[in-house]
Amino acid sequence: MDLLESIRNIKGVGEKSAALLAKLDIYTVADLVHHYPRDYDEFKLPVPVNELREGMVASVEGVISRLTSMNGRKKVVTCYLSDRTGAVKLVWFNQPYIVKLLKPGFRYLFRGTVKRDNAEFAIMQPKMYGRNEYIKLMEALSPVYELTKGITSNFISKSVKQVLGDIEFEERLPAAFRKENDLVKLSDAIKTIHFPKTLKDALAARRRLVFDEFFEFLMAVRRLKEEKTEEKNNFIITDYSCCTELLKKLPFSLTSDQAKTFETIKKDMSSKQLMSRMIEGDVGSGKTIIAMLSSLAVVKAGYQAAIMVPTEVLAKQHFADFEELLSKEFGVNVALLSGAMTAAQKKKVYKTIEDGETDIVIGTHALIQEGVNFRNLALAVIDEQHRFGVKQRRALKEKGLNPHILSMSATPIPRSLSLILYGDMELSVIKEMPKERLPIKNCVVDTGYRNTALNFIRKEILSGHQAYIICPMVEYSEDSDGENVIEYTEEIKDYYNMAALKEGHRDSIRIEFLHGKMKAAEKNEIMERFATGNIDILVSTTVIEVGVNVKNATVMMIENSERFGLAQLHQLRGRVGRGKWQSYCIFMKGCEGKDIDERLDILKNNNDGFKVAEEDLRLRGPGDLFGVRQSGEMSWKLADIYADADLLSLASEYVKAL
Ligand code: ADP
Ligand code: MG
């Protein structure tokens, strides 16, 4: 087999599975073998019932009794399993057919997560195993993959196993270098990451694969850098009087870090060399205005600017902001290029970009991939650059475009690492937050506090503010008991209605939900209504995480906080505290654990992204296999800039030597 072959050529992968795998971005054999497990399951001996503790993932074996099923809004099946030491309750939601599979008085083996259910322990959504099947599973670690509905970890691991025997992985690291730096062979690393015997083996495999991820990334950066040194500035911009005008119209003045950064940009764009600058600034430090000022200057000099963002929601929001400030007063034509538009609408926008009628175009990466031809693009802004990696800069070049580049990122990275990662760019850092901001007040609570939190949110809304509630999942799933956006929205609607009824009036809180599976047009509509204050509570998945700016929102509540990386939680929190009002962030825990408290306390005690990152690393230590991964940074699969800083340096040295 060849790495570039379609997965359809793998035995057992039919048209239907291929379509499902595409949802996980798996198209080729290479995509499949690089779809690494996100965790491993260790099947241990069943434990006696009296040794069960809250939060444990445990197997129990025994005889069942008291089998009942209820068919309310949630279909619940329960029974008790007894062994020599005691009995434990088993609970299934929305799996009514379970009742038919179980016979009271017979022995079964179950595995699931132990939760507290009032005064007793219960195992939620346990899976049933045959004895022999279970014994087999105990022999090795089982990979757990990121999945989509209709695809199981078992299916992926089977397919991987099939192709691994058939593929030669080209080894690009000399044996001496590998030996010296504890890097296993690439082919071994890939085999082991999927099917490790021990966690120690998995760690060693991971180390090699992380090195390769950094290596490839840094090679790309290096190429960009080498090309850059020859680049002449064809867009020399010297007149910035319009920017002074714009600054006068703003309701605030720039912080000194913002002002300094903009001065540097002016110098860049008026010099002989093309600009390639990275602005690093924590969430809410005010990077957008810098992009706007730079774009305005470029447009006034007769050129075009493009703003690239990672999500539709963010594109829409930037579009509205740019329009408001630049259209009327400065006669700048701003256009939005969105995935939600029809082909005909897009075509229209393409034309205005091509003939120069559009001055500034805002959109997702479709902006540089599709049939977009600029008349004279002089500036490309890449917002939330950490979501993109180097591909976008490369794509621009490949289109024959060579504009000034302004990248912006909210990932707090130590300067030494930034210099390696953004080796082809100059660096500006915005450390200072706008003056009027009040620090966000944080709390970490368990679900017993939920009603209090909901009441608190209601109070904020009645005083004119808005709130976000984040759930980890879109809809109900058998595999996870995390909160989901769709049911949660219904539940809190009920809750608020009841509360209002008790007070003798009708509830007026407007609640809507938002998630990534919705159509782009729907998402836009919801976001717009939230931004204009026509929705009070937005229940959302993390699609809301990046860049969204609604100043009037003062509460962020995150359900199942334990499931998110700290960096991601910090980004989510950054959605509030953007105006002059006191804002609040409520981290709701879905389960208990000392390590969970320790991690969340970092966020409770620090509002500064740098501090959060540092503390997070201190806690995890570099030996952590997957931890709770930092989300979406640089589109790496395994690498974590903090925890793997040593490998990043090593890869950087190696690239230099090459
Ligand atoms: P981010 O750096 O996360 O992209 P934004 O650019 O979205 O942050 O800015 C967050 C909010 O702060 C915006 O509403 C913006 O108008 C406001 N803002 C930006 N700079 C300042 C400033 N110097 N003083 C007060 N508010 C500011
Ligand atoms: Mg931003």
Side-chain angles (χ1 to χ4, degrees):
M1 283 216 109
D2 188 275
L3 280 171
L4 297 178
E5 258 176 78
S6 158
I7 42 169
R8 284 299 306 279
N9 299 349
I10 303 171
K11 220 173 83 201
V13 180
E15 194 173 330
K16 219 174 115 209
S17 333
L20 292 173
L21 288 170
K23 285 194 192 165
L24 296 167
D25 278 329
I26 301 176
Y27 302 93
T28 63
V29 171
D31 296 336
L32 180 69
V33 297
H34 293 298
H35 189 71
Y36 306 131
R38 65 171 169 74
D39 203 350
Y40 301 102
D41 240 350
E42 207 176 346
F43 288 78
K44 296 190 190 137
L45 277 175
V47 292
V49 165
N50 68 353
E51 283 177 23
L52 294 175
R53 295 289 171 269
E54 189 166 10
M56 244 167 126
V57 177
S59 307
V60 288
E61 193 177 16
V63 174
I64 63 160
S65 60
R66 285 190 272 168
L67 180 63
T68 60
S69 77
M70 268 191 320
N71 279 329
R73 201 163 66 75
K74 275 190 175 168
K75 297 187 172 54
V76 188
V77 176
T78 58
C79 71
Y80 283 82
L81 177 139
S82 321
D83 64 11
R84 278 178 296 119
T85 66
V88 62
K89 191 176 176 184
L90 309 176
V91 183
W92 292 269
F93 295 114
N94 288 327
Q95 288 169 263
Y97 53 85
I98 290 279
V99 154
K100 299 208 180 75
L101 301 178
L102 301 176
K103 289 202 191 86
F106 282 73
R107 272 186 93 74
Y108 295 93
L109 200 165
F110 294 100
R111 183 169 186 270
T113 309
V114 181
K115 284 264 166 79
R116 189 174 287 284
D117 186 31
N118 296 322
E120 58 188 341
F121 284 140
I123 303 186
M124 312 308 265
Q125 311 281 84
K127 284 214 167 98
M128 187 159 71
Y129 292 90
R131 217 157 192 249
N132 292 336
E133 177 192 11
Y134 196 85
I135 288 170
K136 243 189 128 188
L137 286 168
M138 278 172 53
E139 285 165 6
L141 296 175
S142 306
V144 179
Y145 296 96
E146 192 200 322
L147 299 173
T148 184
K149 217 179 182 159
I151 294 278
T152 61
S153 279
N154 205 3
F155 177 80
I156 295 188
S157 77
K158 258 199 203 144
S159 311
V160 170
K161 211 172 240 160
Q162 239 197 67
V163 295
L164 278 184
D166 249 2
I167 296 183
E168 285 290 313
F169 290 95
E170 194 189 331
E171 181 57 67
R172 61 183 150 209
L173 299 182
F177 179 79
R178 279 195 284 108
K179 188 152 178 251
E180 191 181 329
N181 295 293
D182 272 337
L183 296 165
V184 298
K185 262 171 73 177
L186 180 63
S187 53
D188 293 342
I190 291 180
K191 258 175 230 154
T192 309
I193 198 83
H194 289 284
F195 308 109
K197 286 229 170 54
T198 65
L199 281 175
K200 197 166 158 250
D201 293 346
L203 265 175
R206 181 187 180 279
R207 180 175 165 84
R208 168 62 203 258
L209 296 171
V210 167
F211 179 90
D212 280 37
E213 284 183 352
F214 283 141
F215 173 77
E216 273 159 32
F217 180 86
L218 293 175
M219 284 298 275
V221 167
R222 181 76 186 197
R223 256 176 251 131
L224 282 167
K225 186 175 181 170
E226 274 164 15
E227 285 163 16
K228 195 185 106 182
T229 47
E230 300 138 28
E231 280 160 5
K232 224 178 79 221
N233 181 1
N234 292 318
F235 311 105
I236 296 183
I237 318 271
T238 48
D239 182 3
Y240 293 90
S241 52
C242 51
C243 300
T244 320
E245 293 277 297
L246 174 55
L247 285 172
K248 270 191 219 144
K249 294 198 161 65
L250 294 177
F252 52 79
S253 48
L254 296 184
T255 62
S256 70
D257 277 355
Q258 283 173 315
K260 230 182 349 196
T261 302
F262 188 52
E263 285 308 312
T264 327
I265 290 173
K266 287 188 199 168
K267 254 191 225 136
D268 287 346
M269 293 204 297
S270 57
S271 81
K272 287 202 189 92
Q273 252 212 344
L274 264 180
M275 170 170 77
S276 178
R277 180 164 294 280
M278 160 65 77
I279 304 180
E280 262 182 15
D282 206 348
V283 278
S285 60
K287 298 181 288 292
T288 315
I289 187 65
I290 306 287
M292 202 185 285
L293 288 163
S294 314
S295 307
L296 179 62
V298 160
V299 169
K300 283 294 157 195
Y303 303 114
Q304 290 172 303
I307 321 284
M308 219 185 318
V309 297
T311 65
E312 294 280 340
V313 166
L314 193 51
K316 184 88 185 182
Q317 177 195 292
H318 277 353
F319 173 68
D321 289 350
F322 275 59
E323 255 240 297
E324 189 190 321
L325 282 167
L326 301 183
S327 285
K328 264 197 225 105
E329 307 275 355
F330 295 92
V332 174
N333 287 328
V334 187
L336 174 71
L337 198 56
S338 137
M341 291 157 76
T342 63
Q345 285 171 324
K346 275 188 201 159
K347 228 170 158 182
K348 245 192 201 155
V349 178
Y350 291 163
K351 193 168 169 296
T352 65
I353 296 173
E354 206 160 335
D355 62 23
E357 190 189 322
T358 287
D359 301 307
I360 301 178
V361 54
I362 300 174
T364 57
H365 55 280
L367 209 60
I368 48 165
Q369 285 175 347
E370 287 172 28
V372 189
N373 294 304
F374 289 92
R375 201 168 95 97
N376 54 11
L377 182 71
L379 171 68
V381 177
I382 305 175
D383 194 13
E384 310 287 344
Q385 196 269 351
H386 54 286
R387 284 306 186 97
F388 287 118
V390 280
K391 285 195 214 100
Q392 271 56 37
R393 277 175 276 159
R394 168 70 32 211
L396 275 173
K397 291 247 159 75
E398 273 161 15
K399 286 196 74 142
L401 295 168
N402 221 358
H404 293 296
I405 291 189
L406 191 58
S407 295
M408 307 196 294
S409 169
T411 324
I413 309 176
R415 191 173 173 83
S416 57
L417 296 185
S418 297
L419 291 177
I420 297 177
L421 288 172
Y422 309 130
D424 61 320
M425 292 186 269
E426 316 294 327
L427 195 61
S428 294
V429 179
I430 302 183
K431 272 233 152 93
E432 193 184 359
M433 287 285 169
K435 276 197 289 296
E436 56 174 19
R437 302 274 170 82
L438 292 168
I440 296 171
K441 289 192 174 155
N442 306 298
C443 65
V444 177
V445 295
D446 60 38
T447 49
Y449 184 83
R450 188 180 287 134
N451 288 354
T452 313
L454 289 175
N455 295 342
F456 177 76
I457 288 175
R458 184 154 92 134
K459 244 177 50 202
E460 281 292 296
I461 286 165
L462 293 181
S463 66
H465 293 297
Q466 290 160 279
Y468 300 95
I469 301 180
I470 307 296
C471 301
M473 308 190 359
V474 175
E475 59 204 337
Y476 174 80
S477 146
E478 281 182 11
D479 302 323
S480 168
D481 60 351
E483 297 295 338
N484 73 78
V485 164
I486 293 175
E487 290 183 327
Y488 196 93
T489 305
E490 288 310 309
E491 276 160 27
I492 62 170
K493 273 185 184 165
D494 286 351
Y495 179 82
Y496 284 127
N497 273 324
M498 289 297 286
L501 268 177
K502 267 189 214 151
E503 291 167 13
H505 58 87
R506 283 178 55 134
D507 180 59
S508 58
I509 298 179
R510 296 157 299 177
I511 308 171
E512 298 286 348
F513 62 74
L514 184 77
H515 58 73
K517 288 187 182 168
M518 286 159 70
K519 293 217 175 71
E522 280 177 279
K523 278 192 265 183
N524 286 343
E525 194 238 3
I526 296 284
M527 235 7 257
E528 200 159 284
R529 279 168 54 205
F530 188 70
T532 50
N534 290 308
I535 293 174
D536 301 308
I537 302 181
L538 188 60
V539 181
S540 173
T541 57
T542 54
V543 285
I544 208 71
E545 174 192 345
V546 184
V548 169
N549 184 39
V550 178
K551 283 189 173 175
N552 191 45
T554 53
V555 188
M556 165 63 72
M557 171 149 105
I558 306 168
E559 290 284 348
N560 295 111
S561 296
E562 72 281 358
R563 301 200 179 192
F564 300 101
L566 290 192
Q568 194 173 19
L569 290 170
H570 179 66
Q571 281 280 339
L572 285 168
R573 170 170 61 187
R575 299 310 114 219
V576 296
R578 301 186 145 244
K580 53 181 179 291
W581 306 282
Q582 179 63 56
S583 287
Y584 307 86
C585 187
I586 305 168
F587 298 101
M588 183 75 66
K589 298 181 283 189
C591 57
E592 295 293 327
K594 193 167 149 269
D595 49 332
I596 292 173
D597 285 338
E598 249 183 303
R599 275 170 22 85
L600 293 178
D601 277 350
I602 292 178
L603 286 162
K604 188 173 96 186
N605 301 329
N606 299 288
N607 277 326
D608 172 348
F610 266 100
K611 269 275 156 48
V612 171
E614 249 173 55
E615 289 290 299
D616 183 27
L617 177 59
R618 191 181 54 74
L619 202 65
R620 286 188 293 153
D624 189 358
L625 190 54
F626 297 110
V628 177
R629 295 262 324 282
Q630 306 287 321
S631 79
E633 266 156 28
M634 306 283 183
S635 56
W636 286 316
K637 293 192 153 97
L638 292 171
D640 176 323
I641 339 173
Y642 296 96
D644 302 313
D646 59 328
L647 283 168
L648 180 60
S649 306
L650 182 65
S652 162
E653 291 305 313
Y654 186 68
V655 168
K656 257 189 229 158
L658 271 192

